[in-house]
Amino acid sequence: MKRYWAPHAWLPSGMAASVRISVEPGGTIAALESGVAADAGDERLPGVVLPGLANAHSHAFHRALRGRTHADGGSFWTWRTVMYDVVQKLDPDSYLALARAVYAEMALAGITTVGEFHYLHHDRNGRRYADPNAMGEALRQAAADAGIRITLLDTCYLAGGLTADGYTELNDVQQRFGDGDAEAWAERVSSLRPSAGMRVGAAIHSVRAVPRDQLGAVAAFTRMDEGRDAPLHVHLSEQPAENQACLDRYGLTPTGLLKDAGVLGPQTSLVHATHLTDTDIKDLSGTFACFCPTTERDLADGIGPARALAEAGATLTLGSDQHAVIDLFEEARALEMHERLSTLQRGRFSPDQLLTALTESGQRSLGWPELGQIRVGAPADLVAVRLDSVRTAGSAPEQITLSATATDVDTVLVGGEVVVSQGRHRLGDVGALLTDALETLHA
């Protein structure tokens, strides 16, 4: 039995002081005590201990774009062109190297579970690899090497775009994403099997990439997992152009189209959900809404109606998306700060609500309902955040999300295994791993 003691820990009952966490050899929390002094048998963790953070929306290969898309300003659509250049350079080996480094960067930031919105499936000519899921298996291996859990959200991507006249064909780059139709996509995904560190979910890239008559088949696939609904994620209304194209073609908003096709439900996460009508917001009650504020501001997408969605009954989660920043504390802080800017009011989300979005809600949206809380019987996914750094010194423990950054993460345990200790990852120099992986893509 391993015993950890921390000055503070965020438990289901709230922030507690002087907490001992006992962990069984299998990595499960066996006992919790608060208000107790540390003794010689305890391993001390600094600051405040939180449940493992859940990054509910990631595109690992987008990390290659950080700091390289700003010279001419541009838009979401010009950014996408640069992203496509990176797509053409990746294969299973180079993707493994890049994703391993990216996931290690996430672990350093306190992320213990990532939802990988995975649509880079095939070779440069759009042909399946000998193993049709070679790219997905590279992501599985990358997460295992980096010591974090992954939900592989295998993404259906069938069309190049949507106009008032209908769907366009996949272009040369997008051929790598497509499977022909939802049936062929489901056949490929069916050969993926969950493992100790990976669960399999599904995604609809967007209403512009999956035709109306294919949406229901993808949703139905997620409801066939041995009686348990698998996670289903969808990019939704990130850009006004998407909304307009959907209205022009169908007379429906993207939310209306998804509702009509039976996509919306308690396992569905709508990513971005930026440009919504009042009716859209009501229709998303009972779903998850995943906000990625650092990406949404980087791409000038806009500020989504987070508070309105929460009040309508949607559960909020957070992701780092294109990894302009990998820092979920910044994502949580931005969720609140964007609301302050748009409403001229403070306290739109309490610190506890922000922590819940980072932990329990995000884990549930990724199909890990047993994670996200420090409680007896739960896996010991723990993150210790320092309260004595130049950023956090003097902060109240319960308000840590409003002051901490990724650099303040000291220790990370996943299933009781130490992945990060004193701010260093078990793989060593993660900056060097990133540099090596990115040099090939930037050559």
Side-chain angles (χ1 to χ4, degrees):
M1 187 85 71
K2 291 277 289 184
R3 298 193 319 186
Y4 298 92
W5 183 92
H8 307 277
W10 191 58
L11 307 180
S13 58
M15 195 63 71
S18 302
V19 177
R20 177 179 293 123
I21 305 169
S22 300
V23 180
E24 295 176 340
T28 299
I29 296 173
L32 287 170
E33 303 167 82
S34 60
V36 297
D39 63 30
D42 295 333
E43 182 172 334
R44 298 196 180 203
L45 298 175
V48 56
V49 174
L50 306 174
L53 309 185
N55 187 350
H57 189 67
S58 163
H59 302 291
F61 71 92
H62 288 189
R63 174 62 179 81
L65 302 176
R66 184 188 295 177
R68 303 181 70 88
T69 64
H70 304 279
D72 300 317
S75 66
F76 169 88
W77 306 103
T78 58
W79 171 90
R80 190 176 74 159
T81 299
V82 180
M83 182 264 286
Y84 283 170
D85 291 340
V86 172
V87 166
Q88 289 296 72
K89 297 178 180 179
L90 285 163
D91 59 27
D93 290 337
S94 59
Y95 205 9
L96 171 58
L98 176 60
R100 179 192 294 122
V102 173
Y103 293 157
E105 183 182 359
M106 290 185 192
L108 287 173
I111 294 164
T112 59
T113 307
V114 60
E116 185 62 35
F117 200 104
H118 167 54
Y119 57 87
L120 180 49
H121 303 305
H122 310 306
D123 72 14
R124 294 179 182 88
N125 298 307
R127 296 185 298 245
R128 289 189 173 188
Y129 289 102
D131 174 358
N133 290 303
M135 297 294 264
E137 292 296 340
L139 293 166
R140 181 204 299 264
Q141 187 62 52
D145 292 349
I148 69 173
R149 306 177 195 271
I150 184 171
T151 297
L152 190 68
L153 299 162
D154 197 290
T155 304
C156 187
Y157 197 127
L158 304 175
L162 176 63
T163 72
D165 298 322
Y167 289 88
T168 59
E169 297 293 322
L170 296 172
N171 64 29
D172 289 345
V173 178
Q174 292 168 331
Q175 294 290 337
R176 299 198 71 176
F177 311 155
D179 286 292
D181 58 28
E183 182 178 358
W185 165 83
E187 174 270 325
R188 178 180 55 74
V189 179
S190 293
S191 64
L192 284 166
R193 289 289 177 265
S195 61
M198 184 179 93
R199 292 186 179 168
V200 179
I204 292 165
H205 181 272
S206 57
V207 298
R208 67 178 186 273
V210 178
R212 181 180 193 170
D213 63 355
Q214 303 289 299
L215 293 170
V218 179
F221 177 82
T222 66
R223 296 164 188 154
M224 298 168 60
D225 185 18
E226 299 178 356
R228 183 183 63 84
D229 286 351
L232 174 60
H233 289 222
V234 190
H235 288 136
L236 178 71
S237 293
E238 182 177 4
Q239 286 287 317
E242 174 185 307
N243 286 6
Q244 192 59 54
C246 197
L247 285 166
D248 290 345
R249 180 62 178 170
Y250 296 116
L252 295 168
T253 65
T255 298
L257 186 63
L258 294 176
K259 179 182 179 183
D260 187 64
V263 171
L264 302 182
Q267 90 282 13
T268 311
S269 290
L270 293 313
V271 182
H272 303 302
T274 307
H275 303 282
L276 303 180
T277 67
D278 290 344
T279 299
D280 291 340
I281 292 170
K282 292 177 183 177
D283 286 342
L284 295 182
S285 175
T287 67
F288 294 95
C290 180
F291 281 77
C292 307
T294 65
T295 289
E296 288 146 11
R297 70 190 184 202
D298 182 74
L299 298 180
D301 288 340
I303 298 174
R307 183 69 251 170
L309 280 164
E311 290 174 353
T315 299
L316 301 189
T317 64
L318 292 158
S320 63
D321 193 1
Q322 55 128 339
H323 315 311
V325 177
I326 294 180
D327 185 343
L328 286 195
F329 295 113
E330 175 61 19
E331 303 293 347
R333 190 157 48 246
L335 188 72
E336 165 67 11
M337 298 307 169
H338 287 182
E339 279 284 324
R340 293 184 185 188
L341 288 173
S342 62
T343 67
L344 307 182
Q345 295 177 350
R346 300 180 87 218
R348 301 285 286 171
F349 294 102
S350 71
D352 272 6
Q353 287 174 320
L354 296 177
L355 277 174
T356 299
L358 285 174
T359 57
E360 181 186 1
S361 296
Q363 300 287 6
R364 287 195 294 112
S365 79
L366 296 176
W368 299 86
E370 69 273 35
L371 303 178
Q373 290 187 339
I374 300 174
R375 56 175 176 79
V376 173
D381 288 15
L382 307 173
V383 177
V385 184
R386 301 197 71 90
L387 284 171
D388 59 356
S389 76
V390 294
R391 291 159 298 277
T392 62
S395 297
E398 62 272 14
Q399 296 184 33
I400 192 67
T401 49
L402 280 302
S403 61
T405 71
T407 1
D408 299 312
V409 172
D410 180 270
T411 306
V412 177
L413 279 69
V414 179
E417 295 291 324
V418 177
V419 176
V420 174
S421 178
Q422 295 183 322
R424 288 189 58 81
H425 195 278
R426 69 185 188 186
L427 291 178
D429 186 344
V430 176
L433 291 177
L434 285 163
T435 299
D436 291 345
L438 291 167
E439 277 182 352
T440 302
L441 302 179
H442 293 155

